Amino acid sequence: MTRKLLQINPVVRQSTSTGRIMREIGELAISCGWESYIAYSGGRDGVPQHSSVLLPTGNRADVLLHAAATRLFDAHGLASIQATKRLTERISALDPDIIHIHNVHGYWLNYPLFFDYLRQSGKPVVWTVHDCWLYTGHCYYYSYARCEKWRTGCGNCPQKHSFPASWLFDRSAANWRDKRDAFGSLPNLTLVPVSDWIRQEMASSFLSGHEFRVIRNGIDLDVFSPRAAEKDAGTVYLGVASIWLEEKGFPDLMRLTGLLRDDERLVLIGRMTPAQKRRVPPGVLTVERTEDVHGLAAMYARSSVLLNPTWQDNYPTVNLESIACGTPVVTYRTGGSVEAVTGDTGRVVPQGDVSAMLDCARELASADRSATSLRCREYAEAHFGKESCYRNYIELYESLATR
């Protein structure tokens, strides 16, 4: 009998890391004889071409009402009641063997209602931990704010105005309790952190009693390859982010531009606000994030070094992509960002030490490019291939489905 996999995430677009991960897991599951389904927010994405069967949930009005509940009352994940009920009805009719959650936050699901259903269904649930939202009272990362309240209960949140932003109320203490009650009591839950860092963090959370299995994200090594393009002449430092939030290190990169020599260039890929664009000095090339992954791979491959001055991160895909393209990485000692960076693939420097970041980047850029590229690629082939990484999920599904 063919088994069924259902993945859960608000977005399914290939341009998002979770969207790409779900697509690749689904394709591998299909090749292993599973049926693959993906439930996502119909109010955020269209209907892209996909190997998996797509199950859109809710509509634009649901998303807007959920966003209003978040902004006004700090009630993220507590709206979308009717959309969630319709989804649970579809899941009951589908009767999947495994439910694999990526994210329930994103203005689309009512998590108490959804997890009540999961408890009643008795289905094995796998939850990939892409960020910290599931065990905090509000935020999806807390490192930048240096907040430790999540360990014992939140309240008076220092990031109330950060994603998912609340303009008025601070419900973080109640949110923390609601999540503890909803997520902490699901008996058939296997948590899958994508980094050792977040696994260690969760050991101090209300989810510490659950089963954990670290499975790192993988990438397409055929796309992200040193063969994508030749290195540019001169020294080119690259920065990549989907959105250049302050905690991604945008101010640090602006400080770094003042230290560059005439023969060094900085290229930044990612969305910026108009105010950020005005802060970018002449000589820095800025590119809006491209939907073309082949073009992105070419940018990695042509650059000398990727600079990733992130202040909070789990297991950033940009590091993997750059290394796979033969380009080493310099990153801050932040979360799981260090876990793909070895002496062969880059350097790690203290947070905020822009001078040390540039010194390390210059050291790497001046080394033999062919030898550096070869070492990076060999490491990527040993650790980042999507097939080998995501086959761990198939093995997990099989073990849970036969319990």
Side-chain angles (χ1 to χ4, degrees), residues 3 26 37 44 62 92 137 182 192 223 251 253 257 261 295 304 315 335 340 365:
R3 293 196 172 103
Y37 300 82
R44 296 171 63 95
D62 292 319
S92 294
V192 182
V223 171
L253 290 174
T257 60
R261 301 187 300 241
S304 306
Y315 189 64

Side-chain angles (χ1 to χ4, degrees), residues 220-299:
D220 190 333
L221 295 178
D222 292 331
V223 171
F224 294 100
S225 162
R227 297 183 297 275
E230 296 296 325
K231 295 287 185 185
D232 275 358
T235 302
V236 178
Y237 303 127
L238 179 67
V240 179
S242 56
I243 303 173
W244 278 108
L245 303 171
E246 298 294 286
E247 53 266 32
K248 287 293 183 182
F250 179 80
D252 302 63
L253 290 174
M254 293 302 96
R255 287 166 51 206
L256 184 140
T257 60
L259 305 175
L260 294 179
R261 301 187 300 241
D262 291 342
D263 62 338
E264 297 173 317
R265 287 195 300 137
L266 178 63
V267 177
L268 298 180
I269 299 177
R271 287 166 48 196
M272 296 182 188
T273 66
Q276 286 177 319
K277 290 178 180 178
R278 290 192 292 270
R279 293 166 62 185
V280 177
V284 176
L285 175 63
T286 61
V287 181
E288 290 287 332
R289 183 171 177 84
T290 176
E291 300 290 323
D292 176 15
V293 293
H294 295 278
L296 178 60
M299 291 295 294

Side-chain angles (χ1 to χ4, degrees), residues 59-376:
N59 52 39
R60 183 63 176 167
D62 292 319
V63 171
L64 292 175
L65 289 172
H66 201 138
T70 299
R71 295 291 182 270
L72 297 176
F73 305 112
D74 197 14
H76 194 66
L78 300 175
S80 301
I81 293 175
Q82 294 306 315
T84 304
K85 287 182 177 179
R86 288 192 293 270
L87 175 60
T88 59
E89 291 169 358
R90 296 183 77 176
I91 295 174
S92 294
L94 177 64
D95 192 24
D97 295 275
I98 299 290
I99 297 175
H100 183 171
I101 298 171
H102 291 270
N103 288 311
V104 295
H105 58 296
Y107 311 108
W108 75 302
L109 282 185
N110 182 290
Y111 68 80
L113 185 63
F114 185 58
F115 273 76
D116 278 345
Y117 167 78
L118 293 179
R119 267 188 295 276
Q120 295 168 17
S121 75
K123 298 287 184 183
V125 177
V126 174
W127 194 345
T128 296
V129 185
H130 295 287
D131 58 49
C132 309
W133 180 86
L134 71 165
Y135 61 90
T136 73
H138 177 89
C139 61
Y140 73 122
Y141 283 109
Y142 40 77
S143 305
Y144 192 62
R146 302 187 184 279
C147 180
E148 299 290 324
K149 295 179 181 181
W150 57 272
R151 296 181 186 275
T152 55
C154 293
N156 192 24
C157 180
Q159 297 194 109
K160 183 182 81 169
H161 298 300
S162 299
F163 176 82
S166 175
W167 296 332
L168 299 178
F169 293 96
D170 179 352
R171 197 181 179 278
S172 57
N175 287 340
W176 187 91
R177 293 191 297 270
D178 287 345
K179 291 179 184 181
R180 178 195 60 192
D181 295 343
F183 308 151
S185 59
L186 188 63
N188 296 323
L189 175 63
T190 302
L191 292 164
V192 182
V194 301
S195 71
D196 292 327
W197 169 78
I198 203 166
R199 168 65 184 94
Q200 293 166 3
E201 294 291 282
M202 294 177 74
S204 300
S205 77
F206 54 69
L207 294 168
S208 60
H210 281 285
E211 180 180 350
F212 288 87
R213 180 173 175 180
V214 175
I215 299 178
R216 301 187 191 280
N217 295 332
I219 58 173
D220 190 333
L221 295 178
D222 292 331
V223 171
F224 294 100
S225 162
R227 297 183 297 275
E230 296 296 325
K231 295 287 185 185
D232 275 358
T235 302
V236 178
Y237 303 127
L238 179 67
V240 179
S242 56
I243 303 173
W244 278 108
L245 303 171
E246 298 294 286
E247 53 266 32
K248 287 293 183 182
F250 179 80
D252 302 63
L253 290 174
M254 293 302 96
R255 287 166 51 206
L256 184 140
T257 60
L259 305 175
L260 294 179
R261 301 187 300 241
D262 291 342
D263 62 338
E264 297 173 317
R265 287 195 300 137
L266 178 63
V267 177
L268 298 180
I269 299 177
R271 287 166 48 196
M272 296 182 188
T273 66
Q276 286 177 319
K277 290 178 180 178
R278 290 192 292 270
R279 293 166 62 185
V280 177
V284 176
L285 175 63
T286 61
V287 181
E288 290 287 332
R289 183 171 177 84
T290 176
E291 300 290 323
D292 176 15
V293 293
H294 295 278
L296 178 60
M299 291 295 294
Y300 284 122
R302 287 163 51 188
S303 302
S304 306
V305 180
L306 175 75
L307 304 180
N308 187 5
T310 180
W311 286 79
Q312 56 185 27
D313 239 315
N314 188 358
Y315 189 64
T317 306
V318 295
N319 291 359
L320 316 186
E321 293 169 346
S322 181
I323 292 167
C325 290
T327 299
V329 176
V330 182
T331 188
Y332 284 164
R333 192 173 299 282
T334 296
S337 187
V338 305
E339 293 180 25
V341 181
T342 69
D344 288 332
T345 63
R347 300 289 185 272
V348 176
V349 300
Q351 288 182 330
D353 196 336
V354 172
S355 296
M357 172 164 279
L358 185 54
D359 288 344
C360 288
R362 285 171 173 163
E363 174 200 343
L364 293 166
S366 64
D368 183 282
R369 287 191 174 189
S370 297
T372 299
S373 179
L374 178 61
R375 288 194 296 269
C376 286

